[in-house]
Amino acid sequence: VQLVESGGGLVRPGGSLRVSCAAVGTIFRVNDMNWYRQAPGKARELVAVTTKDGSSNVVNAVKGRFTISRDNIKNTVYLQMNSLKSEDTAVYYCNADILLSSTPPRDLEVWGEGTLVTVAS
């Protein structure tokens, strides 16, 4: 089981970008799916969360600019980032709580490898 991220890149201040994260493997169910980020020289921080039932929330620093959503059929979570600022520059990591299709079923926390988002003019 792994999380495959995509969509990072270079964007100008005020621009938009969407990053995606797909859970692949022998999965029974994906529970919480979250986005974290780590800026250069800083600790990793939580950005947004979403549950399997669709509830979601984002941290105050990105509220009104970022939106998290998910497609349970595709086991994919998205982070739509608008009005980007230079301080949003970071490696964005996907994190998920996954119930594996094993006998007995096993719960596993998985991290993606990260995708770099750079906001610069």
Side-chain angles (χ1 to χ4, degrees):
V1 175
Q2 59 179 335
L3 298 176
V4 180
E5 296 144 335
S6 61
L10 173 64
V11 62
R12 293 186 177 183
S16 297
L17 202 64
R18 189 178 80 159
V19 291
S20 304
C21 170
V24 296
T26 52
I27 297 169
F28 179 76
R29 185 179 65 236
V30 181
N31 296 320
D32 293 354
M33 298 188 84
N34 313 305
W35 285 101
Y36 287 74
R37 67 184 180 185
Q38 187 166 18
K42 295 189 176 181
R44 191 173 298 187
E45 62 177 4
L46 180 66
V47 176
V49 300
T50 181
T51 69
K52 65 181 185 334
D53 299 322
S55 299
S56 63
N57 204 359
V58 299
V59 298
N60 287 337
V62 304
K63 194 157 288 186
R65 301 188 298 122
F66 290 13
T67 303
I68 187 172
S69 61
R70 65 188 287 168
D71 183 330
N72 287 337
I73 295 176
K74 296 181 179 179
N75 287 333
T76 298
V77 63
Y78 307 95
L79 186 66
Q80 176 67 45
M81 302 180 286
N82 300 326
S83 301
L84 282 160
K85 306 175 181 179
S86 58
E87 52 261 45
D88 295 318
T89 294
V91 177
Y92 284 73
Y93 294 93
C94 180
N95 164 267
D97 175 39
I98 297 175
L99 189 62
L100 303 178
S101 296
S102 56
T103 304
R106 187 164 64 96
D107 197 50
L108 188 66
E109 182 183 17
V110 185
W111 286 88
E113 293 187 349
T115 185
L116 178 62
V117 173
T118 302
V119 185
S121 54

